[in-house]
């Protein structure tokens, strides 16, 4: 039997970070790619359609927002029409009446006025393209599992804040006591409310088992593969992403505090203040929400302050020179792959057949000399 192989794909706002894991090989030599994110790819195609003065028909499934969303808004402002199927339209809002209020016409297919519009397929999962790239370089596409991370607000009920709905989900997952690994699910176990995760599963037609996880917890879990981070207790782990910032306070592996905000809404001083109060157990959920963030878990004073604040994420430079003296985590020597390492750890917790090979391959080599 050949060693297990897993594709780990961390889909962010700016990039999608990809690692092809093969048990028994040196993890630093694994095939790795850092590619533009699906929403960035969509944005470029929309901008081309705007330049070409072409109407758009959006098909596919619900995907992440950000650059793609902004490009569609600009396309509409330029006076061009946009049609979208219901699933694709939910990329912009779960409430389709609000999508139509943006100017997007929700349709069942490319019929009527949508005939002749340029079709763009919405999806977060570019698996076929990845397989083509691997084959080009002679890399095997035989896989025993596929693990994907996406950020999912969930489908909030009409009139309920999607930020509150998102944080309700985070709180419930923490209260379940399953740890960071509990923010991921095998495809047939994804909660109905997590529509972006469900869309990834809907896009999957392969035979290998599919695992889907939230991006923030995946990056934080992967940061624990940095030996200096793993040795710290308590430890505060912060992933400063292109669009969202999430911080977990861990005592042992127990989640003792949590904070999530929009990176673009934060200055360095504000983020420092939030993290200091998270470490002290005094951060207010209402305050974070009022500041356009998602929220904070109010778990009370901590037994002792964290011995280390560790940073990952492409926007971690926001805390350069900070009084927090944060440590830049580099699991297996590569910060950009933190989410992929977290995906491997999490799928190992859900698939006992993969747990042993993954754990053995992620143990750092002994580099000592006689």
């Amino acid at each position: 039997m050949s060693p297990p192989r897993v594709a780990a794909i961390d889909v962010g706002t700016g990039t999608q970070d990809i690692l092809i894991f093969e048990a028994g090989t040196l993890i630093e030599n694994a095939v790795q790619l850092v590619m533009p994110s699906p929403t960035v790819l969509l944005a470029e195609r929309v901008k081309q359609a705007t330049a070409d003065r072409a109407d758009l028909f959006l098909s596919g499934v619900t995907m992440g927002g950000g650059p793609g969303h902004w490009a569609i808004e600009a396309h509409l402002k330029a006076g061009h029409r946009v049609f979208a199927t219901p699933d694709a339209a939910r990329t912009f809002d779960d409430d389709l009446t609000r999508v139509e209020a943006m100017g997007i016409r929700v349709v069942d297919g490319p019929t009527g006025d949508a005939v002749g519009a340029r079709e763009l397929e919405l999806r977060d999962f570019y698996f076929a393209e990845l397989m083509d790239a691997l084959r080009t370089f002679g890399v095997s596409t035989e896989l025993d599992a596929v693990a994907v991370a996406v950020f999912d607000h969930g489908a909030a009920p009409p009139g309920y804040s999607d930020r509150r709905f998102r944080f309700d989900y985070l709180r419930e997952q923490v209260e379940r006591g399953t740890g960071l690994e509990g923010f991921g699910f095998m495809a047939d176990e994804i909660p109905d409310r997590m529509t972006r995760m469900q869309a990834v599963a809907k896009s999957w037609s392969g035979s290998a088992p599919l695992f889907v996880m939230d991006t923030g917890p995946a990056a934080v879990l992967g940061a624990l593969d940095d030996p200096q981070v793993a040795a710290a207790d308590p430890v505060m782990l912060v992933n400063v992403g292109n669009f969202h910032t999430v911080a977990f306070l861990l005592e042992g592996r127990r989640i003792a505090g949590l904070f999530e905000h929009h990176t673009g809404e934060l200055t360095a001083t504000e983020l420092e203040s939030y993290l200091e109060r998270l470490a002290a157990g005094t951060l207010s959920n209402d305050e974070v929400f009022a500041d356009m963030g998602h929220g904070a878990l109010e778990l009370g004073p901590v037994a002792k302050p964290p011995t280390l604040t560790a940073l990952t994420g492409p926007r971690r430079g926001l805390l350069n020179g900070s009084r927090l003296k944060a440590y830049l985590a580099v699991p297996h020597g590569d910060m950009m792959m933190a989410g992929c390492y977290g995906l491997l750890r999490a799928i190992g917790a859900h698939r006992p057949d993969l747990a042993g090979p993954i754990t053995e391959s992620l143990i750092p080599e002994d580099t000592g000399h006689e």
Side-chain angles (χ1 to χ4, degrees), residues 179-242:
L180 292 166
E181 295 85 351
F183 287 92
F185 310 91
M186 300 308 298
D188 60 352
E189 298 172 346
I190 298 171
D192 291 340
R193 67 197 287 183
M194 308 313 292
T195 50
R196 190 176 174 194
M197 290 186 181
Q198 289 279 2
V200 169
K202 185 176 180 180
S203 301
W204 176 235
S205 59
S207 58
L210 177 68
F211 177 78
V212 188
M213 188 174 185
D214 197 271
T215 51
V220 166
L221 182 58
L224 289 167
D225 267 24
D226 181 309
Q228 189 163 331
V229 178
D233 188 27
V235 61
M236 184 159 60
L237 299 112
V238 188
N239 184 65
V240 190
N242 284 307

Side-chain angles (χ1 to χ4, degrees), residues 2-8 19-23 25 31 131 134 138-147 208-209 344 347 354 357-358:
S2 59
R5 302 180 79 250
V6 180
L19 183 145
I20 307 301
F21 166 83
E22 183 171 333
T25 63
V31 172
M131 294 298 100
L134 295 179
V139 178
S140 171
T141 57
E142 294 296 320
L143 297 169
D144 296 280
V146 175
L344 291 176
I347 194 173
L354 296 175
I358 288 173

Side-chain angles (χ1 to χ4, degrees), residues 66 264 289:
F289 183 79

Side-chain angles (χ1 to χ4, degrees), residues 6-7 16 22 55 64 89 99 103 133 140 144 153 164 184 223 234 247 294 301 312 327 357 361 363:
V6 180
Q16 50 181 318
E22 183 171 333
D55 293 336
V99 175
S140 171
D144 296 280
H153 273 98
R164 286 200 187 277
H294 289 165
T312 58
Y327 170 72
S361 297
I363 295 174

Side-chain angles (χ1 to χ4, degrees), residues 149-170:
V150 294
F151 183 97
D152 196 340
H153 273 98
Y160 195 79
S161 164
D162 63 351
R163 290 183 291 129
R164 286 200 187 277
F165 193 74
R166 160 76 180 176
F167 208 76
D168 289 346
Y169 160 73
L170 295 180

